[in-house]
Amino acid sequence: MFTAETVDILDQSDELSACIKDSYIYQEYIEAKHQLETNFEVKILRQKFDQIKSHYDDCLRFGRYHPDYSRVMKETRQQKRAYEMHPVVSEFKTKETALQDLLDEVISIVSYSVSSNVKVDTGNPFFSSESHGGGCSTGGSCGCST
């Protein structure tokens, strides 16, 4: 059952979403994503990685007993590194992380404004909840806020 208050909260969340989409962080992410999806070199590297990855998955079923185990493992690591070290892919991952950090911060601010006892799973083990008065009661570095 929707109340006027619920509708107002949903409208405000739509406004917050629009603000995030208008941010330079989101715009840079969208541009980096477009570059990733349209760059010919990246497509070739991704195809090569996907091909060797299928052999990798086959090797995992048999482990070290697979006749091509060492070669496939080495090639998989090389192809993955070549893909991830490409400047377009690297730039995308940087922009993706920046956007995720922004979303984590927004989620934390909203959650802690409701209650300081809210547990926030940011998905980032390095995110500091201490700036919001949280922190793990067990003394660990889990990132939870109890």
Side-chain angles (χ1 to χ4, degrees):
M1 179 176 220
F2 284 98
T3 64
E5 183 179 359
T6 304
V7 171
D8 186 44
I9 291 170
L10 292 173
D11 287 343
Q12 290 177 17
S13 68
D14 287 341
E15 288 176 30
L16 178 58
S17 175
C19 287
I20 291 170
K21 286 183 175 181
D22 287 341
S23 72
Y24 73 92
I25 293 173
Y26 180 77
Q27 296 303 321
E28 287 180 343
Y29 166 78
I30 292 299
E31 177 61 30
K33 183 178 178 187
H34 175 72
Q35 292 296 322
L36 180 76
E37 293 170 346
T38 59
N39 186 288
F40 183 72
E41 288 178 30
V42 171
K43 284 182 183 182
I44 297 297
L45 287 170
R46 183 61 193 209
Q47 287 172 350
K48 287 181 180 180
F49 175 69
D50 288 344
Q51 286 173 347
I52 193 69
K53 179 88 168 63
S54 67
H55 296 298
Y56 173 85
D57 292 338
D58 189 42
C59 282
L60 285 182
R61 291 187 314 142
F62 298 102
R64 295 194 180 273
Y65 301 106
H66 192 282
D68 294 330
Y69 179 83
S70 295
R71 180 188 62 80
V72 170
M73 292 298 156
K74 182 179 178 182
E75 285 182 25
T76 302
R77 286 190 302 273
Q78 289 173 337
Q79 287 299 326
K80 182 178 182 187
R81 181 169 172 80
Y83 174 75
E84 289 181 348
M85 295 305 291
H86 190 280
V88 171
V89 176
S90 179
E91 182 70 12
F92 171 75
K93 289 187 178 284
T94 300
K95 301 305 180 187
E96 183 180 46
T97 300
L99 179 59
Q100 185 63 53
D101 290 346
L102 173 65
L103 295 173
D104 289 346
E105 182 129 1
V106 168
I107 289 168
S108 295
I109 291 169
V110 170
S111 299
Y112 294 128
S113 70
V114 172
S115 170
S116 61
N117 294 327
V118 172
K119 293 185 178 18
V120 178
D121 180 14
T122 62
N124 184 347
F126 302 108
F127 187 79
S128 171
S129 62
E130 294 171 4
S131 62
H132 300 287
C136 185
S137 63
T138 63
S141 60
C142 63
C144 72
S145 62
T146 46

